[in-house]
Amino acid sequence: MSRTIEADVCIVGAGIAGLFAACRLPEGTRIAVIDKGPVGVGSSPLAQGGMAAAVGPGDSWDLHLQDTIAAGDRLVELRAAEVVCREAPARVEDLISLGCSFDTNPDGSLHLAREGGQTEARSVHRADETGAEMVRALRLAAGPRVERVEGTVLRFALADGDCAGVWTLVGGEVTLVRAPHTLLATGGAGALFDSTTNNPASTGDGIALGAFAGARLADLEFVQFHPTALAVEESPRPLLTEALRGAGAVLVDRNGRRFMPEAHPLAELAPRHVVTAAILASGGAFLDATSLGSDLLDREFPTVVSSCRARGFDPATQALPVKPAAHYLIGGVSTDLDGRTSIPHLYAAGECAATGMHGANRMAGNSLSESVVFAARAAQAMIDDEKPRAGDPDWTDVPRTAGDVATRRAETVAAVSLGAGPIRDAKNAQLALEKLETLAGEVAGSPADEAMVTTGDLLVRAALSREETRGVHARSDYPQVNPELDGVHFTR
């Protein structure tokens, strides 16, 4: 160990959850934000859709809750979902006060998009670049108040059972960022799959850190695959936001036949796992947005239009080939209603956290809502909770290596995709686990590889354990819902 950085709060992750939490802490708080890569690298800026909040006429928090429950396939934790649905409108106002510029109607009211699983238009947005706008505003608001540390977190710094900060690799040196309160906000694990909409940095680091420290983890079998990623051979795949379907785009098969009305009463706006399953069964699907016209597409979906045209497609004149892609990790480090984990003075918010509000399938727009609501609650908990009286952190098990580049990424991705892809079965999961066990024995001394393999192994084991099909978790060898597992969350 070469140096120590002292802080009042350590935030691991510089996306929406981490930055919003930083903005909620009192002036004068010494905040260290650990950012894994260069500024702006992460999945938060890639969020195209909106933030679900019951702010429109005719909408209400209880209607928002009902839609959330319907999407969650009998696994939603009602208290967590109610907290988010009740508090999301106030957090929208907070974001606006922090400088977020959301789209408005001519009368000045917020323009609301309708996305999958929503019975009312409920997504506050900025065109189809909502995540980028939120990150822009939050970075400006939080920037003067935080010390940014570019580095890779190796382990939580534990002292007498409490979290006392993190051990971080900074410029090849192991550095202790010591803080009485630590917030985990590292995002998801989509980059562990061969088809993904996530940034390559989304490798599930927070899940591995939680596992190394013995934190309670939950719901890791529930990986949401976005139905409509552009079917091109690159990673990440460009996302074709669900708001396109909310505006009237339809899904058709190779023969131009629309197939979603027969799959679900909400057709193209059915919960994402329903749309994903229908696309996989179609033999080849296309998103037809030509009826929207070029003017509306250019005005409301500039990100989609420019992304498609850069790859030789024109959404105004042709149907776009689509394929499901890993998009959102529903499970993660388990928390209570205030972001507290099972380890004292360690908190979690955003995609790396498991609050239970999504159940077995996340309703569109709820990821941003959950992130800011629980980030605010975690910030308040850190203000309220007494500082620990722990001794010096133990670094016995901290890797002492300068290697922070994953060299076995391709093999790990192949194994995780085999064992925990959109359609799973026991045979492939076992094969994947055998490969991951072999990799685990070969990656000693490479923290990045170790974290990826550890998270991948946890995802596949969770997929193997849930012997049913529920929400985003689909087992070809157990194709039905098991009613005995209603409300049952798998933890470790």
Side-chain angles (χ1 to χ4, degrees):
M1 182 177 63
S2 60
R3 65 175 177 140
T4 298
I5 298 173
E6 299 285 352
D8 299 314
V9 171
C10 174
I11 297 176
V12 185
I16 287 169
L19 293 175
F20 192 76
C23 291
R24 301 283 294 193
L25 293 168
E27 291 285 349
T29 304
R30 295 177 303 166
I31 307 169
V33 173
I34 315 299
D35 199 347
K36 183 178 177 181
V39 173
V41 175
S43 288
S44 283
L46 302 181
Q48 292 181 4
M51 171 180 165
V55 296
D59 203 359
S60 64
W61 73 264
D62 55 324
L63 288 177
H64 185 179
L65 178 63
Q66 289 175 29
D67 288 349
T68 298
I69 292 170
D73 206 357
R74 289 164 284 178
L75 209 64
V76 167
E77 287 295 318
L78 293 180
R79 292 177 63 211
E82 182 175 336
V83 160
V84 173
C85 295
R86 281 184 180 273
E87 297 180 10
R91 300 292 79 80
V92 170
E93 294 302 318
D94 291 339
L95 288 164
I96 292 172
S97 70
L98 289 169
C100 287
S101 179
F102 296 122
D103 288 353
T104 57
N105 297 310
D107 64 0
S109 61
L110 288 166
H111 183 275
L112 303 173
R114 186 180 173 200
E115 301 186 83
Q118 299 178 4
T119 57
E120 299 282 342
R122 187 178 292 127
S123 288
V124 178
H125 66 104
R126 169 67 179 268
D128 61 351
E129 51 189 15
T130 308
E133 170 60 15
M134 291 173 68
V135 170
R136 179 201 66 78
L138 291 173
R139 187 178 293 135
L140 285 175
R145 309 180 63 217
V146 308
E147 177 183 356
R148 180 178 178 273
V149 179
E150 186 172 323
T152 301
V153 175
L154 302 172
R155 295 288 191 275
F156 294 124
L158 301 178
D160 302 331
D162 285 352
C163 183
V166 294
W167 298 103
T168 307
L169 195 64
V170 182
E173 296 180 313
V174 177
T175 300
L176 171 63
V177 181
R178 191 202 307 267
H181 304 294
T182 300
L183 174 66
L184 186 64
T186 53
L192 295 183
F193 294 84
D194 54 13
S195 177
T196 182
T197 64
N198 285 194
N199 184 283
S202 297
T203 51
D205 296 359
I207 310 306
L209 290 170
F212 295 149
R216 183 181 299 112
L217 310 174
D219 295 337
L220 293 177
E221 67 270 34
F222 295 115
V223 179
Q224 186 179 75
F225 290 78
H226 197 290
T228 53
L230 189 66
V232 292
E233 293 305 316
E234 58 185 88
S235 184
R237 285 190 165 132
L239 177 66
L240 305 181
T241 174
E242 205 152 44
L244 279 165
R245 285 175 271 144
V250 297
L251 285 162
V252 298
D253 62 18
R254 295 184 184 278
N255 298 317
R257 183 184 69 88
R258 189 179 173 198
F259 56 84
M260 281 309 303
E262 63 195 46
H264 194 276
L266 291 176
E268 278 77 11
L269 292 177
R272 285 177 175 173
H273 68 289
V274 176
V275 182
T276 292
I279 287 174
L280 292 173
S282 70
F286 299 80
L287 183 67
D288 188 349
T290 56
S291 65
L292 304 186
S294 58
D295 289 344
L296 184 148
L297 286 167
D298 288 338
R299 182 177 67 253
E300 296 191 14
F301 304 101
T303 302
V304 168
V305 170
S306 62
S307 179
C308 288
R309 287 177 179 164
R311 294 163 175 82
F313 299 97
D314 185 354
T317 62
Q318 65 186 121
L320 307 170
V322 293
K323 184 176 182 179
H327 184 60
Y328 186 85
L329 178 62
I330 289 173
V333 179
S334 183
T335 75
D336 66 8
L337 296 181
D338 295 302
R340 298 182 183 92
T341 73
S342 61
I343 296 177
H345 303 285
L346 174 65
Y347 310 78
E351 192 174 349
C352 68
T355 68
M357 81 153 290
H358 303 305
N361 181 30
R362 177 178 68 84
M363 188 192 81
N366 270 349
S367 60
L368 296 180
S369 305
E370 182 196 38
S371 288
V372 296
V373 167
F374 276 93
R377 283 178 157 254
Q380 188 60 49
M382 288 188 283
I383 294 169
D384 294 340
D385 290 351
E386 291 185 2
K387 292 183 179 181
R389 299 177 180 175
D392 291 331
D394 180 14
W395 73 312
T396 303
D397 296 325
V398 179
R400 283 121 163 127
T401 174
D404 61 347
V405 177
T407 60
R408 312 302 289 272
R409 177 187 287 262
E411 294 168 272
T412 305
V413 166
V416 176
S417 300
L418 175 66
I423 307 293
R424 300 97 179 262
D425 62 52
K427 178 181 177 180
N428 284 327
Q430 292 287 4
L431 290 172
L433 287 176
E434 291 173 10
K435 177 60 177 178
L436 290 166
E437 288 173 7
T438 298
L439 286 171
E442 298 173 349
V443 297
S446 173
D449 281 310
E450 183 185 24
M452 289 183 63
V453 171
T454 297
T455 299
D457 183 85
L458 288 166
L459 296 183
V460 176
R461 288 185 187 280
L464 181 61
S465 296
R466 186 170 284 273
E467 295 179 340
E468 65 166 348
T469 290
R470 182 186 297 269
V472 298
H473 173 76
R475 287 281 297 263
S476 60
D477 47 353
Y478 291 94
Q480 305 300 321
V481 171
N482 180 356
E484 294 183 0
L485 294 179
D486 287 359
V488 176
H489 297 267
F490 289 1
T491 62
R492 73 163 300 281

